[in-house]
Amino acid sequence: MPITNSEFPITNSQLLITNQLINYTLHLADNTLILAQQNSEWCGHGPILEQDIAITNISLDLLGQARNFYQYAAELINQSTSQPINLLTSQPATEDTLAYLRDNREFRNCLLVEQENGDWAKTILRQFVFSNYQYLLYEKMQDSKDEALRAIAEKALKEVIYHLKWSSEWVIRLGDGTEESNQRINKAVIELWPYVDELFINAAYESALISNNISVDVASLKNLWMQKTKEIFAEATLGIPENIFAHKGGKQGMHTERLGYILAEMQFLQRAYPNSVW
Amino acid sequence: MHSLIRKYYYGDIPDTPNAGGDPISSPSAAAEHPWPLWEVFIRSKQGLDHKHAGSLHAADAQMAIENARDVYTRRNEGISIWVVESKYVHASSPDEAESFYEPATDKIYRHPTFYDLPEEVKHM
């Protein structure tokens, strides 16, 4: 017998918000986890010991943020009556099941963070683009109606301020450095710019939560982001590309091939040996 | 990327150009143009002195402070950082240790242990 919507009017609208909030929280978590995983590949390979430590510190900061978001998402999923997340097991969701047992299409990270590390210049530029965005995002998220998101943003903002400072200085250093460093960062700009715009296009789960003051309207961050980018690029003697075709879809689960490789490496152990621990 | 750095330990920094970090032939760019070495001093809490924590490489002072923050304060060790380029640290020579330090070892009268302290004086 079909159940009509009118039987559960209140539950349904609440459920809708909860589902969007779960999606939104997973999007925030996936962004930070994937970038953390990518940056961690530099561990032991940094251009110099001190910078090796710097980039892996940033990686750990991002991983910590991802954990906070995943823990919150797991809590929401376990409380919600319907489970929109396709989990392999019927066990309750945890930060680990969300990180290790979801497939490619269920990840909602933006395409920027899954772009290849490339050389130091590309990794630096990716970090600058993302930290600049994350700084504005978390600053606004401190006013979110959602208490958990507010608390995570408040804590993470201090870390991001440093990431932004560190990556800005490196962009300037490379752009205004030697001929080779300038060439390399220019190449990185060309390679990464198609993935910038996606950051500022609201996904359905972001749009749905704006009116409740839960999510941040990312479209509203673009001008401030551009202002800071222009300031740093001017010092770095770099130009900002215009009219670049913008790739999107990552936030909806449509990823580039690269994410498959990232997940394969990251999830292998839990997939091959379920529930193994350190 | 490997670059071999001949590392001098604290107190043994020679007073010469390139002090501390002397690259031994290596193909990497980092070794061709080595970043200077910096000494790092960390104050662990308000009211205490800055203490020497170690040394590291950096291109300039700002980067040295940030590197020091990442290398030496990641476990909550500090609230203030000083850095100074190692070439500006002048050290006593280990060869002169005999004439420098040994004469002080048999001058026990330089320790204030021969005075009778009045009862009222505390904390001595």
Side-chain angles (χ1 to χ4, degrees):
Chain A
M1 192 179 134
I3 299 168
T4 59
N5 281 347
S6 58
E7 286 183 55
F8 307 101
I10 299 163
T11 320
N12 271 349
S13 79
Q14 275 174 347
L15 201 62
L16 201 67
I17 289 181
T18 308
N19 281 352
Q20 302 291 24
L21 182 56
I22 290 170
N23 285 329
Y24 184 52
T25 309
L26 285 173
H27 156 69
L28 295 167
D30 293 343
N31 271 353
T32 45
L33 177 67
I34 299 302
L35 191 54
Q37 173 74 11
Q38 296 252 81
N39 281 346
S40 74
E41 279 185 27
W42 278 101
C43 186
H45 302 276
I48 191 164
L49 173 89
E50 290 81 358
Q51 296 302 326
D52 190 299
I53 295 176
I55 189 83
T56 37
N57 269 350
I58 289 176
S59 178
L60 283 174
D61 284 348
L62 292 169
L63 188 68
Q65 293 170 21
R67 287 194 59 192
N68 288 333
F69 286 125
Y70 281 130
Q71 284 165 5
Y72 180 48
E75 196 183 304
L76 291 169
I77 290 166
N78 294 332
Q79 281 167 6
S80 111
T81 46
S82 80
Q83 297 208 354
I85 310 301
N86 175 23
L87 295 174
L88 285 185
T89 60
S90 54
Q91 295 161 354
T94 66
E95 52 179 318
D96 287 332
T97 63
L98 292 173
Y100 292 126
L101 300 179
R102 281 181 314 142
D103 275 334
N104 199 310
R105 293 288 289 269
E106 292 162 274
F107 273 75
R108 289 166 181 78
N109 58 278
C110 56
L111 298 173
L112 175 77
V113 296
E114 69 194 48
Q115 295 309 303
E116 284 195 45
N117 281 351
D119 56 11
W120 184 247
K122 192 170 175 185
T123 297
I124 289 297
L125 185 71
R126 186 182 60 198
Q127 191 61 50
F128 169 72
V129 168
F130 189 72
S131 295
N132 190 3
Y133 158 79
Q134 222 184 12
Y135 169 72
L136 299 167
L137 178 79
Y138 286 166
E139 205 182 33
K140 279 247 172 115
M141 200 180 280
Q142 291 185 112
D143 303 325
S144 169
K145 275 252 173 70
D146 189 286
E147 210 175 310
L149 292 182
R150 203 167 60 218
I152 297 170
E154 226 166 87
K155 179 164 178 279
L157 188 62
K158 294 188 198 101
E159 297 167 349
V160 174
I161 288 172
Y162 184 72
H163 303 168
L164 181 57
K165 179 177 154 69
W166 180 86
S167 56
S168 300
E169 281 166 11
W170 263 108
V171 169
I172 295 168
R173 198 173 284 131
L174 292 171
D176 193 24
T178 65
E179 199 179 316
E180 188 189 355
S181 73
N182 180 278
Q183 249 169 31
R184 283 176 184 258
I185 190 109
N186 262 307
K187 185 163 164 275
V189 171
I190 291 163
E191 286 173 359
L192 289 177
W193 229 250
Y195 304 99
V196 168
D197 270 357
E198 192 196 13
L199 296 172
F200 305 105
I201 301 171
N202 285 303
Y205 44 80
E206 288 172 306
S207 303
L209 299 171
I210 291 174
S211 59
N212 314 34
N213 288 326
I214 293 175
S215 69
V216 174
D217 177 6
V218 288
S220 72
L221 306 177
K222 177 135 194 207
N223 284 340
L224 284 170
W225 183 89
M226 193 48 98
Q227 209 175 308
K228 172 81 177 172
T229 302
K230 276 186 178 153
E231 180 193 314
I232 299 300
F233 273 33
E235 237 183 294
T237 68
L238 291 171
I240 294 178
E242 281 172 33
N243 301 323
I244 297 285
F245 176 79
H247 291 284
K248 43 188 185 286
K251 287 158 84 167
Q252 286 78 28
M254 305 291 288
H255 294 281
T256 60
E257 187 186 349
R258 166 89 181 145
L259 184 67
Y261 293 105
I262 298 170
L263 294 184
E265 189 169 2
M266 189 179 79
Q267 297 184 335
F268 166 77
L269 204 82
Q270 277 305 314
R271 300 278 198 180
Y273 306 99
N275 302 323
S276 57
V277 289
W278 280 103
Chain B
M1 244 180 272
H2 299 281
S3 69
L4 297 174
I5 300 286
R6 188 185 300 134
K7 180 83 168 70
Y8 292 94
Y9 291 97
Y10 183 55
D12 294 340
I13 299 159
D15 201 2
T16 56
N18 237 350
D22 188 12
I24 299 161
S25 67
S26 152
S28 87
E32 279 168 37
H33 305 285
W35 289 345
L37 191 70
W38 299 75
E39 299 301 319
V40 179
F41 300 84
I42 308 257
R43 165 192 274 173
S44 57
K45 55 177 155 172
Q46 221 51 267
L48 293 184
D49 297 333
H50 284 76
K51 284 227 166 68
H52 186 249
S55 51
L56 47 74
H57 290 89
D60 52 47
Q62 189 57 38
M63 195 204 269
I65 290 175
E66 284 167 27
N67 285 350
R69 178 260 190 198
D70 284 328
V71 176
Y72 292 113
T73 67
R74 48 205 292 269
R75 298 186 186 85
N76 204 17
E77 292 99 331
I79 56 155
S80 168
I81 296 173
W82 287 351
V83 293
V84 60
E85 243 189 285
S86 305
K87 67 178 181 191
Y88 296 120
V89 176
H90 301 266
S92 63
S93 163
D95 301 337
E96 290 170 330
E98 256 178 61
S99 58
F100 250 58
Y101 307 114
E102 277 184 27
T105 55
D106 60 355
K107 313 272 191 306
I108 49 168
Y109 50 83
R110 287 181 182 165
H111 294 274
T113 48
F114 296 93
Y115 303 97
D116 290 323
L117 285 178
E119 283 287 311
E120 308 83 69
V121 178
K122 300 214 166 67
H123 310 300
M124 286 292 280

